[in-house]
Amino acid sequence: MELIEIERSIIKKYRKEIYSPFIRAIKEFSLINEGDRVACAISGGKDSLLLAKLLQELNRHSSVPFDLIFIAMDPGYDRANRKLLEENLAYLDIDGKIYDSNIFEVSEAISKKDYPCYMCARMRRGSLYAKAKELGANKLALGHHLNDVIETTLMNVLYAGNFKTMKPRLRALNFESMELIRPLYYVNEKDIIRWRDYIGLKSLDCACSLTKSSQSYTRQRVKNLIGKLKEENPDVEKSILRSAENVNCDMVLGYQIGGEKHSFLEEFE
């Protein structure tokens, strides 16, 4: 497909499903402001590639001036996946700077049994923060979408025994003056898949040798559970998403603020 048709599909054909919810998140959460230098992280998957094109369009046409750079980390892809990443960047006309790391190797070595996906994700994010800061960015944009947010919230409740969600914007703990933003916060994965297939994009999956780990399996089980619940309640995803906006601290047993734990028993002291 010609590049002009690919870019037009985001603005025209999938405006309601993709571009409008993307703009909604940008505005609602003040994700990008005048003078920002945004580093868009590209893994080579469908989500980050779409995010790159959306930010590219926004950068070209927004009345709010900001700088945009693309960074693509190779965490240890095999030759075929590295080639596919390079081809996708060229196909979508994304000037992504690919840099190498050995994150797959390290994360697999230190966490064969203990949540390798979690360890890999943390190491990737730290590496991306460092590269973004090195390139003068103050914000790092990741491609987490609506379903990632919903599934993560439910996974924490069912498997971790806590209530945590993905925030659309947060400050980096170990990188001063850096923020993480998630502009795809309101974009549904099924619409990303439809866009990917429409433009004929062959994107990378995880490409890690441990993609069948217990953590990946757990996420798929939660995804399947939500799918079954939707058969009875079509709005179940909205309810899970909104639950993070409507936490009633008067009716919970405990909560944390700034790392400090609190108990409902404090009201009886």
Side-chain angles (χ1 to χ4, degrees):
M1 181 177 289
E2 295 293 329
L3 179 63
I4 189 171
E5 291 299 325
I6 293 174
E7 294 176 345
R8 184 181 292 135
S9 71
I10 296 173
I11 306 299
K12 299 292 185 180
K13 184 176 178 64
Y14 293 102
R15 186 177 190 87
K16 180 180 178 181
E17 297 87 352
I18 292 177
Y19 195 71
S20 292
F22 163 74
I23 294 298
R24 176 190 170 192
I26 295 288
K27 292 181 176 180
E28 185 173 324
F29 303 119
S30 298
L31 298 185
I32 298 177
N33 301 293
E34 183 174 349
D36 281 342
R37 183 170 173 81
V38 179
C40 176
I42 301 173
S43 66
K46 66 185 188 310
D47 310 323
S48 63
L49 290 169
L50 172 60
L51 175 61
K53 292 305 294 181
L54 285 166
L55 288 173
Q56 198 177 59
E57 288 297 313
L58 184 67
N59 184 246
R60 289 169 178 167
H61 306 297
S62 175
S63 60
V64 178
F66 69 96
D67 291 332
L68 177 63
I69 56 175
F70 302 105
I71 53 176
M73 177 178 59
D74 181 344
Y77 293 143
D78 59 29
R79 184 175 299 177
N81 280 312
R82 172 63 177 248
K83 184 173 183 291
L84 182 56
L85 172 60
E86 294 170 348
E87 289 174 347
N88 283 336
L89 293 177
Y91 180 57
L92 296 175
D93 190 32
I94 297 169
D95 183 19
K97 300 174 178 63
I98 301 177
Y99 72 99
D100 298 318
S101 74
N102 62 344
I103 286 177
F104 278 175
E105 179 182 351
V106 174
S107 63
E108 290 177 20
I110 66 179
S111 57
K112 280 287 187 181
K113 298 179 181 179
D114 299 322
Y115 307 108
C117 295
Y118 172 76
M119 180 62 67
C120 181
R122 288 199 59 175
M123 293 176 66
R124 282 194 192 208
R125 186 173 303 179
S127 178
L128 289 168
Y129 269 135
K131 178 59 67 171
K133 193 172 183 65
E134 175 189 321
L135 297 174
N138 67 308
K139 289 183 178 176
L140 175 66
L142 299 184
H144 295 125
H145 49 66
L146 175 66
N147 301 87
D148 288 326
V149 177
I150 294 168
E151 291 161 13
T152 297
T153 303
L154 198 55
M155 283 177 66
N156 282 325
V157 171
L158 296 178
Y159 293 94
N162 60 45
F163 186 89
K164 290 193 299 185
T165 190
M166 283 184 170
K167 296 171 73 174
R169 176 182 177 183
L170 66 156
R171 290 190 175 93
L173 294 177
N174 302 314
F175 294 85
E176 187 177 357
S177 302
M178 285 287 295
E179 290 185 12
L180 181 149
I181 59 174
R182 295 183 169 107
L184 298 184
Y185 202 80
Y186 288 133
V187 180
N188 199 302
E189 183 180 26
K190 66 179 177 60
D191 294 317
I192 301 176
I193 293 172
R194 288 174 58 207
W195 173 79
R196 178 201 65 190
D197 294 344
Y198 175 74
I199 68 168
L201 182 67
K202 183 181 178 183
S203 56
L204 274 72
D205 291 323
C206 177
C208 170
S209 65
L210 297 180
T211 51
K212 294 184 180 180
S213 71
S214 61
Q215 193 171 5
S216 297
Y217 177 66
T218 297
R219 180 171 289 278
Q220 187 58 49
R221 291 188 69 185
V222 169
K223 187 186 290 287
N224 295 340
L225 173 61
I226 293 172
K228 290 181 179 179
L229 292 172
K230 281 181 67 177
E231 295 175 4
E232 300 177 6
N233 176 14
D235 293 327
V236 69
E237 290 176 312
K238 292 180 181 178
S239 294
I240 297 172
L241 182 68
R242 289 173 180 168
S243 68
E245 301 176 0
N246 298 297
V247 178
N248 186 345
C249 288
D250 289 328
M251 297 303 292
V252 298
L253 300 183
Y255 58 93
Q256 292 186 30
I257 297 180
E260 182 179 347
K261 292 185 177 181
H262 296 268
S263 168
F264 82 101
L265 291 173
E266 292 175 10
E267 64 186 273
F268 296 100
E269 295 176 357

